[in-house]
Amino acid sequence: MEQLLENLIEECQQYVEKGEVASYIPELAKVDKNQLGICVISTTGKVYRAGDYLNSFTIQSVVKTIILLQALIDNGEEFVKERIGVEATGKPFDAINMRAGNLESQHLNPMVNMGAIAMCSLIKGRSEEEKFEKLLNLTRKLACNDSIEVNQDVYLSEKRTGNKNRALAYLLKSYGLIDGDVDAVLDTYFKACSISINCEDLACIGYCFASHGKPPRSDERIFESQYATYVNAILTTCGMYDGSGEFAINVGIPAKSGVGGGIMGVVPTRMGIGIFSPGLDDKGNSYAGIRVLERLSREMFLSIF
Ligand code: GLU
C-alpha cells in the first residue's frame, strides 16, 4: 500500500504546477504550491503515508463537516435539518442561493459558506469562546491529536479580508436565519477555517466518518452512527463544491475539500484518506489532490457507486 501511495504521488507531482493557490485570503497566497502529500488509514487502523504528509495547512472548508457534526450532536437531526437544508446547490462555495428574491433555511446547504456560517450559530455554549473550544476539541478528538491549534496568521488574515462572508452573514441575519451576534458567529467561523492540520489528521477525521464514529484502534464511539450517515450523504452530493457531480463519477466517495488544498476522503467501512496539495482548480478543489484520488479509487475499487 505504501508503495502504491508513493507511486501515485510521484505520478501526480506533474499536476502541482497546474493549480493556483487561493489568493483571496492574503495569507494563503504565500503558501508554496509545490507540495503533495497523502495519508490513508485502513480499517485495521494501519497508517500509510507518502510525500509531504507531515506538512501543515489550514483546514478551511473541510471544517464544515465538523461544524455540521457538532450542530447535530448539540441539536439532533430534525432540528438541524429544519434550520439548514440538505439539497445540493450546484453553486460555488460563496454563492447566495436566493430563490424568487427570498432566502429560506431550505436554500442553505451545510457545505456552502452561508449554511456553514448559519450552523456556527447552532453550536451550544455560554460564550463564543466556549463554542469555539468545543469545536476545536471535537476536531482534536476526531483527528486523535490533542496538539491541533488555530493558525493565527491565517485567522487574522481571513478576519481582515472576509467581507464576502461578512455580507453573507448579515444577509442571513436579515432573513432571521442566524441567532445571536453576527460578528461573534463569524469569528467562530473564521477561527474554525484556520485550524491547522496535516494529512494524517485529515485521514483520521475521515476514518471516524467511515467507521461511523469510532477512531482508529478504538472501540469508543465518539458520536452517534446515524450522524455519519447524515454527514457522508451530504459530502457525496455537495462536498466538492460545484465539482461534486464530476467527482462522484471519477472518484465516487464522500469527500470534502478546502481552499487550503486539503481533501478529506471517506470510504465507508474501509478507510479514511487525507490529501494535501495547495494548487486549486477553477472550482477551488486541490488540482493534484483530485488526480491522486482518481487513481487511488481506480486502483483500489473505492467507488461506492
Ligand atoms: N475560509 C474560507 C472562506 O470562507 C473557506 C472556503 C473554502 O475552503 O471553501 O472563504
Side-chain angles (χ1 to χ4, degrees):
M1 178 73 170
E2 211 134 66
Q3 190 56 51
L4 169 66
L5 297 186
E6 265 161 33
N7 294 346
L8 291 181
I9 293 292
E10 206 185 306
E11 216 177 288
C12 293
Q13 202 67 43
Q14 57 175 312
Y15 298 115
V16 296
E17 274 302 313
K18 300 219 159 147
E20 292 300 331
V21 292
S23 55
Y24 73 102
I25 300 170
E27 206 54 33
L28 292 186
K30 298 181 187 166
V31 173
D32 170 16
K33 75 173 170 183
N34 192 28
Q35 304 181 71
L36 178 59
I38 185 167
C39 175
V40 170
I41 305 183
S42 74
T43 26
T44 54
K46 223 166 159 346
V47 186
Y48 305 92
R49 316 159 172 102
D52 302 314
Y53 65 90
L54 269 180
N55 294 13
S56 299
F57 52 95
T58 50
I59 192 166
Q60 297 299 336
S61 271
V62 182
V63 82
K64 289 174 174 136
T65 57
I66 306 174
I67 300 173
L68 172 59
L69 179 62
Q70 187 68 66
L72 287 166
I73 293 171
D74 285 358
N75 304 279
E77 241 179 87
E78 224 169 284
F79 183 84
V80 172
K81 209 194 284 173
E82 208 173 279
R83 299 291 295 263
I84 321 282
V86 292
E87 300 310 326
T89 66
K91 292 187 177 157
F93 69 97
D94 56 354
I96 303 173
N97 194 28
M98 293 180 81
R99 311 240 177 103
N102 197 16
L103 185 65
E104 293 172 16
S105 59
Q106 296 316 303
H107 301 154
L108 306 179
N109 179 287
M111 296 303 130
V112 177
N113 284 17
M114 268 190 139
I117 294 168
M119 279 191 309
C120 284
S121 77
L122 301 185
I123 299 171
K124 291 195 171 144
R126 278 173 307 218
S127 63
E128 222 46 50
E129 287 71 33
E130 194 177 297
K131 291 180 194 177
F132 179 71
E133 276 308 303
K134 213 166 154 187
L135 196 64
L136 183 61
N137 282 333
L138 180 60
T139 309
R140 288 173 173 159
K141 231 171 154 180
L142 292 167
C144 306
N145 181 356
D146 282 341
S147 60
I148 287 178
E149 293 290 352
V150 170
N151 178 325
Q152 288 297 327
D153 294 334
V154 174
Y155 159 58
L156 294 175
S157 182
E158 284 214 45
K159 195 175 160 122
R160 229 180 1 253
T161 57
N163 292 325
K164 178 88 188 262
N165 284 327
R166 222 162 259 128
L168 297 178
Y170 277 98
L171 194 63
L172 285 165
K173 181 76 179 173
S174 74
Y175 280 91
L177 297 172
I178 42 182
D179 302 328
D181 180 64
V182 180
D183 288 319
V185 172
L186 271 168
D187 206 50
T188 299
Y189 176 74
F190 290 140
K191 268 193 208 140
C193 290
S194 308
I195 291 173
S196 182
I197 50 160
N198 61 34
C199 289
E200 195 158 334
D201 298 324
L202 210 48
C204 193
I205 299 168
Y207 181 100
C208 293
F209 285 110
S211 68
H212 280 225
K214 288 185 186 166
R217 301 171 300 279
S218 163
D219 275 331
E220 185 216 356
R221 200 177 281 287
I222 54 179
F223 60 86
E224 292 195 32
S225 171
Q226 84 229 39
Y227 296 157
T229 306
Y230 195 108
V231 173
N232 294 344
I234 289 182
L235 294 189
T236 309
T237 54
C238 323
M240 303 298 284
Y241 312 110
D242 44 337
S244 298
E246 190 77 23
F247 185 84
I249 294 170
N250 296 338
V251 181
I253 59 170
K256 183 75 200 89
S257 60
V259 294
I263 304 178
M264 176 187 78
V266 178
V267 190
T269 73
R270 281 183 68 187
M271 63 180 72
I273 304 169
I275 296 195
F276 165 57
S277 186
L280 309 177
D281 64 16
D282 57 353
K283 307 252 157 108
N285 294 315
S286 171
Y287 195 102
I290 290 197
R291 305 286 135 2
V292 172
L293 268 176
E294 284 172 353
R295 285 165 174 75
L296 184 66
S297 176
R298 265 201 308 273
E299 289 285 333
M300 300 197 67
F301 303 98
L302 299 184
S303 175
I304 61 171
F305 305 108

